[in-house]
C-alpha cells in the first residue's frame, strides 16, 4: 500500500470517527439531559416527587445500561434499518450509539444535578419559583461545571464505543484498526489509529477540564 | 389583638415527620400571633423545632395540621400556583445564605425579579437600589465566592427584598457569622424594618440576637411555645423553666445553696441609686453577689443579686422598700464563694 493511500484511509477514518462521535454526543445529550433532569426532579427529594414513575424510569435505564454494547448493537440492527434505512455504516452506528449512551448520560447528568446544594433550590422555592424555573434558572446553571466534566467523560466513552462499532461495520478508526491490524496484519495502520484515538481522548478530556475550570465561579 | 391586625397568625400548628418508620413530632401545637411591622423573635434550644416552625410559615414544610395565616390568607389552603404567588410576599434568608454560586451578585438579586417577569430595565434599576441599601453597590459584578460571609448575607437580604415582600423570615441568619458581622447584619435588619415597614420573624438560639433587635419574643421548647411576650417583660419576669434557662444562662445563683435576692431594674429604676438608697432607708448593710446591665429590645435592663440578711425583720424591710421603688425581685439560691 502506498503512503498516500494510507494517509487517505486514515484521514477518512478519522473524519468518520469524529462525525460519529460528534453526532452521537449531540443526540445523546438531546435525550440524556432531559432524562437526567427528570430522574432528579421526580426523585424522592426532588422538586416534583413521583416515586412510581421514577422507579420505572430508573429500572429502564438500568436495564439498557446492563446490556453490553456489542450485543446492543446487534440487537438494534432492525431499529437502525428502520431509522436510517441501513444496518451498516456510520449512520446506523449512530442510532445504536445514541441508545447506548442516553441512559449513561442520564445517570451522569443526574449525579451532576444531585451535587447542587439543596439549600439553593429551597431558596428558589421560597421566592416562588416554579419547578420549570428551578430547573432552568437554578439546577442547570449551578451544575454547569460538573455537567461539562461529565460531558467530557461521556464523549470519550462514546468515542470508545464508536471504535467498537467498527467491528460490526460502522467504519471509522475502529474499523481500520480491526481491518488492518487483525485481519490483514498491517500493524502500522493499527498503531497509527491507536495513537490518533489516544490523542482524541486526551484532547477531549483536556478541553473538558479546562472549560469546567473556566466557568466554575465557586473559587 | 384581632386576626386582622396580625401579619402572621398560626393556629394549632402541628408537624410530625416520619423518619425510619418512626413518627417524630417536631411541633406539638403552636399558636402564635405576629403583629404587623414587628420584629418578632423565636428562640429555643437546638432541636426545639425552630427551623420546622419557620419553614412551615412559607410552606417549605407542609404542616401536618393547623393553619398558617399570612396577611389574612391561609397558606395551607392555597393551590401550588397560588402558593408561589403568595411566596413572593414572604422573603426568606438562611443560615448558609443559599446564593447561586455560579451567578454574580447582580444576577442573584435579579433572580426573584426574573421569576415575576419584571421588565429588564426596571429590574436592573431595582437591583442596584437594593444593593445600595445593603451597602454592596460596588459588588454587583462579583461572584458570591469572592465575598465574606457578612457580604453574602447582605446579598441574600437584597435578594429576599427584591419582590417587595411584606414579611421577611430569617432562619438563624447570623449563626454562621462572627459577633461584629452579626451586629452589623442585625442593625441592617432593624433598618429595613424601620424604613420599609416589613414584618421580620427572627429564629435564633442566641439571646444576643433577640436582645438587639426584637420587640417581642416567643420561647419554643420541645415543639410548643413555652412563653411569649415583649422582650423586656420576659427578661424581667420569666415564668417557665425554658425561659429561665435562656434568659438566665450560667448565672452563679442557679447552683448555690445560700438564699439571695435578685433585683431586676427596668425603665427609670435603672438610673436611680436604688441600692444605696435601700441601705440608708433600711439601715442594713447588704453584700452584692453579681450585677450587670443589658440592652433588651428598646429598653435597658439591669439585674443585681444581693445577699438576704439573716435578720427576718431587716429582710422584710428591704423587700418592702424595693417594692415601693418599683423594682422586681425574685428569690434565688446563690453559692457562697461568689462574694467577699
Ligand atoms: N426532615 C426531618 N425528618 C425527620 N425529623 C426531622 C426533620 N427535620 C427536623 N426533624 C426533627 O424535628 C425536631 C425539630 O427540628 P428543627 O430542625 O426544627 O429544630 P431546631 O430548633 O431548628 O434546631 P437547631 O437549632 O439545631 O437548628 C428535631 O427533633 C429534629 O430531629
Ligand atoms: Mg434549625
Amino acid at each position: 500500500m502506498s503512503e498516500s493511500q494510507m494517509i487517505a484511509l486514515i484521514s477518512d477514518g478519522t473524519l468518520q470517527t469524529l462525525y460519529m462521535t460528534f453526532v452521537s454526543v449531540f443526540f445523546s445529550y438531546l435525550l440524556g439531559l432531559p432524562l437526567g433532569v427528570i430522574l432528579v426532579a421526580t426523585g424522592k427529594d426532588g422538586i416534583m416527587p413521583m416515586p412510581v414513575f421514577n422507579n420505572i424510569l430508573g429500572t429502564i435505564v438500568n436495564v439498557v445500561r446492563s446490556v453490553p454494547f456489542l450485543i446492543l448493537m446487534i440487537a438494534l440492527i432492525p431499529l437502525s434499518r428502520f431509522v436510517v434505512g441501513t444496518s451498516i455504516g456510520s449512520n446506523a452506528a449512530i442510532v445504536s450509539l445514541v441508545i447506548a449512551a442516553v441512559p449513561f448520560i442520564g445517570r451522569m447528568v443526574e449525579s451532576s444535578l444531585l451535587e447542587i446544594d439543596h439549600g439553593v433550590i429551597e431558596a428558589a422555592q421560597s421566592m416562588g419559583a416554579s419547578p420549570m424555573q428551578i430547573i432552568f434558572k437554578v439546577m442547570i446553571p449551578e451544575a454547569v461545571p460538573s455537567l461539562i466534566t461529565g460531558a467530557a467523560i461521556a464523549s470519550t466513552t462514546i468515542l470508545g464505543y464508536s471504535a467498537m462499532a467498527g467491528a460490526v461495520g460502522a467504519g471509522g478508526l475502529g474499523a481500520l484498526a480491526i481491518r488492518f491490524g487483525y485481519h490483514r496484519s498491517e500493524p502500522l495502520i493499527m498503531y497509527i489509529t491507536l495513537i490518533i484515538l489516544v490523542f482524541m481522548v486526551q484532547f477531549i478530556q483536556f478541553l473538558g477540564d479546562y472549560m469546567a475550570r473556566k466557568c466554575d465561579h465557586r473559587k | 389583638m384581632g386576626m386582622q391586625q396580625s401579619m402572621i397568625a398560626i393556629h394549632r400548628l402541628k408537624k410530625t415527620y416520619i423518619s425510619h418508620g418512626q413518627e417524630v413530632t417536631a411541633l406539638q401545637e403552636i399558636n402564635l400571633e405576629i403583629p404587623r411591622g414587628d420584629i418578632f423573635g423565636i428562640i429555643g434550644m437546638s432541636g426545639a423545632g425552630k427551623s420546622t416552625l419557620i419553614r412551615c410559615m412559607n410552606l417549605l414544610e407542609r404542616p401536618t395540621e393547623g393553619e398558617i395565616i399570612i396577611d389574612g390568607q391561609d397558606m395551607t389552603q392555597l393551590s401550588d400556583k397560588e402558593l408561589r404567588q403568595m411566596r413572593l410576599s414572604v422573603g426568606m434568608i438562611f443560615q448558609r445564605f443559599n446564593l447561586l454560586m455560579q451567578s454574580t451578585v447582580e444576577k442573584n438579586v435579579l433572580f426573584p425579579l426574573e421569576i415575576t417577569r419584571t421588565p429588564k430595565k426596571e429590574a436592573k434599576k431595582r437591583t442596584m437600589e437594593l444593593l445600595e441599601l445593603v451597602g454592596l453597590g460596588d459588588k454587583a459584578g462579583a461572584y458570591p465566592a469572592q465575598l465574606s460571609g457578612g457580604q453574602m448575607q447582605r446579598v441574600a437580604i437584597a435578594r429576599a427584598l427584591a419582590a417587595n415582600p411584606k414579611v421577611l423570615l430569617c432562619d438563624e441568619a447570623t449563626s454562621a457569622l462572627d459577633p461584629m458581622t452579626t451586629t452589623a447584619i442585625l442593625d441592617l435588619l432593624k433598618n429595613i424594618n424601620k424604613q420599609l415597614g416589613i414584618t421580620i420573624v427572627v429564629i435564633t438560639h442566641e439571646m444576643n440576637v433577640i436582645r438587639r433587635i426584637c420587640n417581642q419574643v416567643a420561647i419554643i421548647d420541645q415543639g410548643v411555645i413555652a412563653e411569649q411576650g415583649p422582650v423586656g417583660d420576659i427578661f424581667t419576669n420569666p415564668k417557665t423553666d425554658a425561659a429561665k434557662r435562656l434568659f438566665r444562662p450560667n448565672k452563679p445563683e442557679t447552683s448555690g445553696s445560700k438564699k439571695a435576692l435578685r433585683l431586676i431594674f427596668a425603665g427609670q429604676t435603672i438610673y436611680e441609686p436604688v441600692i444605696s438608697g435601700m441601705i440608708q432607708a433600711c439601715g442594713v448593710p447588704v453584700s452584692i453577689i453579681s450585677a450587670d446591665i443589658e440592652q433588651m429590645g428598646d429598653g435597658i435592663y439591669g439585674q443585681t443579686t444581693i445577699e438576704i440578711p439573716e435578720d427576718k425583720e431587716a429582710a422584710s424591710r428591704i423587700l418592702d422598700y424595693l417594692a415601693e421603688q418599683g423594682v422586681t425581685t425574685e428569690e434565688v439560691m446563690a453559692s457562697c464563694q461568689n462574694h467577699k
Side-chain angles (χ1 to χ4, degrees):
Chain A
M1 189 189 304
S2 76
E3 206 172 286
S4 62
Q5 267 178 313
M6 210 194 271
I7 290 172
L9 267 177
I10 290 173
S11 55
D12 191 48
T14 306
L15 283 178
Q16 275 196 47
T17 292
L18 285 175
Y19 167 76
M20 268 193 292
T21 306
F22 184 80
V23 175
S24 302
V25 168
F26 178 80
F27 282 107
S28 305
Y29 263 92
L30 208 61
L31 300 169
L33 190 64
L35 174 63
V37 170
I38 291 169
L39 282 171
V40 175
T42 61
K44 191 163 61 70
D45 298 317
I47 51 174
M48 293 184 278
M50 299 190 215
V52 176
F53 173 77
N54 187 269
N55 260 332
I56 295 172
L57 196 61
T59 308
I60 295 172
V61 165
N62 291 344
V63 167
V64 178
R65 286 202 59 202
S66 59
V67 180
F69 179 62
L70 269 182
I71 295 173
L72 191 71
M73 279 278 320
I74 294 162
L76 289 173
I77 284 174
L79 182 71
S80 298
R81 203 173 277 144
F82 175 74
V83 176
V84 293
T86 170
S87 61
I88 54 164
S90 296
N91 286 335
I94 285 169
V95 175
S96 311
L97 282 170
V98 169
I99 288 173
V102 165
F104 168 67
I105 287 172
R107 288 290 187 211
M108 296 283 282
V109 169
E110 180 188 24
S111 89
S112 292
L113 296 180
L114 287 175
E115 280 170 28
I116 306 167
D117 182 359
H118 196 68
V120 185
I121 293 168
E122 275 194 344
Q125 283 174 324
S126 81
M127 288 181 270
S130 67
M132 281 299 157
Q133 286 170 323
I134 291 174
I135 289 168
F136 288 105
K137 289 178 185 291
V138 180
M139 287 169 55
I140 294 177
E142 284 293 287
V144 160
S146 172
L147 286 171
I148 292 177
T149 307
I153 296 171
S155 304
T156 54
T157 304
I158 289 175
L159 180 66
Y161 280 179
S162 83
M164 254 193 267
V168 286
L173 290 175
L176 278 188
I178 290 163
R179 199 156 90 220
F180 291 93
Y182 184 69
H183 298 303
R184 286 211 213 153
S185 45
E186 190 133 11
L188 181 60
I189 292 190
M190 187 184 73
Y191 290 130
I192 293 173
T193 59
L194 264 182
I195 289 167
I196 293 173
L197 283 171
V198 167
F199 178 78
M200 281 181 177
V201 170
Q202 292 290 337
F203 178 74
I204 293 171
Q205 194 61 51
F206 168 82
L207 191 70
D209 289 345
Y210 175 79
M211 279 168 53
R213 232 185 3 256
K214 255 309 213 233
C215 63
D216 191 351
H217 299 289
R218 277 174 300 186
K219 46 187 145 338
Chain B
M1 190 177 296
M3 245 175 61
Q4 291 310 309
Q5 256 122 9
S6 300
M7 180 55 101
I8 303 176
I10 296 173
H11 299 147
R12 296 177 310 282
L13 168 63
K14 190 175 168 194
K15 174 74 191 179
T16 51
Y17 292 107
I18 307 290
S19 164
H20 302 104
Q22 289 232 322
E23 265 200 12
V24 181
T25 302
L27 302 175
Q28 289 188 37
E29 179 172 310
I30 303 281
N31 291 291
L32 215 53
E33 302 271 332
I34 299 178
R36 239 162 242 282
D38 203 3
I39 304 186
F40 193 99
I42 298 171
I43 188 169
M45 305 273 182
S46 187
K50 304 183 293 293
S51 296
T52 306
L53 174 55
I54 202 164
R55 291 162 55 81
C56 279
M57 291 186 195
N58 61 358
L59 256 71
L60 280 181
E61 292 300 347
R62 190 158 275 281
T64 311
E65 278 172 37
E67 296 175 333
I68 309 277
I69 297 159
I70 297 188
D71 203 17
Q73 272 282 357
D74 186 351
M75 301 285 279
T76 62
Q77 299 300 315
L78 301 176
S79 69
D80 283 357
K81 195 158 176 241
E82 291 167 327
L83 177 62
R84 287 201 290 272
Q85 192 60 36
M86 189 64 198
R87 277 176 175 165
L88 296 172
S89 52
V90 185
M92 188 170 195
I93 57 173
F94 305 85
Q95 178 171 0
R96 287 168 56 249
F97 324 127
N98 295 348
L99 298 177
L100 295 164
M101 297 307 281
Q102 306 294 358
S103 299
T104 59
V105 165
E106 185 180 15
K107 284 285 278 177
N108 267 280
V109 181
L110 273 171
F111 183 87
L113 299 169
E114 283 176 8
I115 287 173
T116 55
R117 303 184 206 287
T118 309
K120 277 228 160 61
K121 232 179 112 189
E122 193 186 322
K124 237 181 135 85
K125 185 163 159 273
R126 172 121 185 93
T127 299
M128 283 320 293
E129 283 168 11
L130 285 161
L131 286 177
E132 292 293 340
L133 175 74
V134 300
L136 289 177
D138 56 337
K139 294 284 186 204
Y143 284 91
Q146 298 164 331
L147 304 180
S148 69
Q151 289 172 326
M152 283 202 249
Q153 197 59 290
R154 285 168 190 273
V155 177
I157 290 171
R159 181 175 71 171
L161 296 177
N164 267 319
K166 300 172 206 156
V167 176
L168 180 62
L169 306 175
C170 313
D171 187 6
E172 300 273 9
T174 56
S175 299
L177 306 174
D178 63 58
M180 286 249 300
T181 314
T182 294
T183 305
I185 293 290
L186 293 177
D187 290 349
L188 174 64
L189 290 175
K190 195 161 191 167
N191 256 331
I192 285 165
N193 169 256
K194 261 211 203 100
Q195 280 185 33
L196 310 176
I198 294 175
T199 307
I200 301 184
V201 182
V202 174
I203 292 279
T204 185
H205 63 269
E206 290 170 306
M207 200 58 230
N208 279 333
V209 172
I210 300 290
R211 285 215 324 239
R212 189 148 188 114
I213 60 169
C214 297
N215 307 316
Q216 298 221 47
V217 63
I219 291 142
I220 183 169
D221 187 41
Q222 297 181 12
V224 293
I225 302 291
E227 203 170 331
Q228 77 173 97
V231 175
D233 290 4
I234 297 207
F235 173 75
T236 45
N237 192 13
K239 294 190 186 71
T240 56
D241 283 345
K244 283 178 187 159
R245 269 201 308 276
L246 286 159
F247 281 70
R248 306 259 187 275
N250 312 321
K251 288 283 186 301
E253 304 88 64
T254 49
S255 58
S257 56
K258 197 171 164 71
K259 267 192 169 177
L261 196 63
R262 174 160 39 215
L263 323 181
I264 312 284
F265 302 97
Q268 268 308 305
T269 57
I270 193 158
Y271 302 111
E272 281 157 19
V274 173
I275 293 193
S276 61
M278 176 187 81
I279 293 170
Q280 273 177 11
C282 307
V284 264
V286 295
S287 43
I288 294 173
I289 298 169
S290 71
D292 59 31
I293 284 189
E294 289 170 289
Q295 172 85 38
M296 289 272 165
D298 287 333
I300 295 173
Y301 294 83
Q303 56 174 318
T304 304
T305 309
I306 59 171
E307 203 178 300
I308 299 179
E310 303 281 332
D311 180 358
K312 286 254 162 58
E313 205 254 329
S316 89
R317 272 211 306 275
I318 287 179
L319 285 172
D320 290 346
Y321 179 83
L322 290 172
E324 230 170 74
Q325 298 294 314
V327 177
T328 312
T329 58
E330 149 183 290
E331 250 185 49
V332 292
M333 302 304 287
S335 63
C336 304
Q337 66 261 39
N338 276 305
H339 59 102
K340 299 235 172 90

